[in-house]
Amino acid sequence: MNLLGTQDVDLVSALHIEEDTYDATSNRTYDLLLIVLVTAASIATYHNCIYFMLRTIFPSAFQKNKTLFKKGSYQFTNMTVNFILGVYGIYHYYHSVPHIETVPITERIRGFPQFAIFGALQTGYNLWSLPLGLIMQEPVAMMGHHIAVLCVGSLSCFSVHGFRYHAPFFFGVIEISSVPLSVMNFCRDHKDIMAPKFPILCAAVRPVFAITFLVVRVILWLPQILDVLRISGLLGYTCPSGDYACRTAIGSFWLSAFFLTLLQVFWGSLVVKGILSVVMGTGEAPTKKSN
């Protein structure tokens, strides 16, 4: 396939001069911004409720290890949000997203305003995750992940050219693979509680995580991100001469999407390495190096 097909270049170039129809309703930006803020506030409230509930139920254990309770409430909150986003994304991915062959390139770039909510939800989620990640001392890669998602999520949510055709998958479906990861991390960090009471769950969640991660974040991710990188690259390539705002916005989106893809490939390689070590009898079940 010709990555810079003349017809596609002409079609994408025309988007820069077409009348803006995305913000047809004056309250759209306000509504989406409200969703972002409500999402962040709701997750923060839920997280605090979980934290204080655990603190109340297990007061003596809390006094012995406050850090463990902070981490546990953080993991449980992430698991809940990931599950909701994953199920919501799967539903729309299979019921609302038409096959890519039937959707023109221009529609994949600036169409599907109904999917802007996915970008808003992810932006709100990562507005909460970023400061909490600093507090929980997450790895640098995860902090970069939060920042990159804020970039692509906010552009998908608020920009005319939001590439929203792919939003249900990238901002919804992929989160389902993080659910078993949260359970796995919870089992690891609370062995004295989880291992005796839920031995089967803690043993089974590792291969479940490995399978879901490789299927969703590698096998399904790569062909779709190639389309996103191609069409966003074309849009940036055709920005009017001297329009630095266009080049900066689209360039930031492209670099963030590419960075997120490199992270998935890197983490996927760790999962594969873990699987091979188990098969060859030289290590434990697969895991992703993340808090």
Side-chain angles (χ1 to χ4, degrees):
M1 180 178 63
N2 184 5
L3 293 179
L4 289 175
T6 303
Q7 183 179 9
D8 284 347
V9 171
D10 292 340
L11 290 172
V12 173
S13 180
L15 291 177
H16 294 290
I17 58 176
E18 288 182 3
E19 182 181 356
D20 177 8
T21 58
Y22 175 65
D23 196 19
T25 58
S26 58
N27 291 327
R28 178 183 294 277
T29 300
Y30 171 81
D31 291 341
L32 291 172
L33 181 60
L34 185 62
I35 292 174
V36 170
L37 297 177
V38 169
T39 299
S42 298
I43 296 173
T45 302
Y46 176 75
H47 173 228
N48 285 325
C49 288
I50 295 296
Y51 175 72
F52 285 108
M53 183 179 68
L54 292 175
R55 178 179 176 176
T56 303
I57 296 175
F58 307 102
S60 58
F62 175 80
Q63 292 300 325
K64 293 179 181 178
N65 197 336
K66 297 180 181 180
T67 301
L68 199 61
F69 276 76
K70 291 179 181 178
K71 182 180 289 187
S73 61
Y74 180 62
Q75 291 168 338
F76 192 86
T77 302
N78 277 313
M79 181 182 67
T80 304
V81 176
N82 291 332
F83 178 78
I84 293 173
L85 288 175
V87 171
Y88 186 54
I90 290 172
Y91 173 81
H92 280 283
Y93 185 68
Y94 287 103
H95 291 88
S96 307
V97 180
H99 193 278
I100 192 170
E101 297 296 335
T102 67
V103 183
I105 186 172
T106 52
E107 281 299 297
R108 301 205 299 276
I109 292 175
R110 71 180 299 168
F112 299 93
Q114 69 272 28
F115 293 155
I117 188 174
F118 282 96
L121 292 173
Q122 277 290 350
T123 301
Y125 180 24
N126 282 273
L127 277 178
W128 169 81
S129 297
L130 185 59
L132 261 292
L134 288 171
I135 295 173
M136 301 305 299
Q137 298 181 335
E138 285 188 329
V140 175
M142 280 303 299
M143 299 307 298
H145 173 274
H146 296 322
I147 294 172
V149 174
L150 280 172
C151 178
V152 296
S154 57
L155 190 141
S156 177
C157 175
F158 297 111
S159 173
V160 175
H161 306 123
F163 312 98
R164 285 172 289 273
Y165 169 78
H166 292 284
F169 177 80
F170 287 110
F171 297 145
V173 175
I174 65 165
E175 295 296 351
I176 205 67
S177 68
S178 296
V179 175
L181 174 62
S182 296
V183 176
M184 187 174 69
N185 287 338
F186 198 85
C187 287
R188 180 197 62 200
D189 295 332
H190 305 80
K191 290 181 180 179
D192 54 336
I193 299 176
M194 297 296 292
K197 295 184 178 181
F198 307 100
I200 298 178
L201 173 64
C202 291
V205 73
R206 289 177 175 271
V208 170
F209 160 69
I211 293 171
T212 55
F213 186 91
L214 292 176
V215 170
V216 175
R217 290 183 178 261
V218 178
I219 296 174
L220 295 179
W221 175 293
L222 290 177
Q224 298 204 57
I225 199 63
L226 286 176
D227 182 63
V228 172
L229 293 174
R230 176 177 180 268
I231 62 179
S232 59
L234 283 174
L235 188 66
Y237 175 75
T238 57
C239 282
S241 178
D243 190 345
Y244 298 110
C246 174
R247 295 189 185 279
T248 300
I250 303 304
S252 299
F253 177 91
W254 194 96
L255 289 173
S256 296
F258 184 67
F259 170 72
L260 290 170
T261 302
L262 291 180
L263 279 182
Q264 310 313 310
V265 174
F266 170 68
W267 286 333
S269 69
L270 295 180
V271 172
V272 172
K273 186 182 297 184
I275 293 174
L276 292 177
S277 68
V278 171
V279 172
M280 299 175 65
T282 60
E284 295 184 352
T287 184
K288 176 165 74 74
K289 292 185 178 179
S290 165
N291 288 336

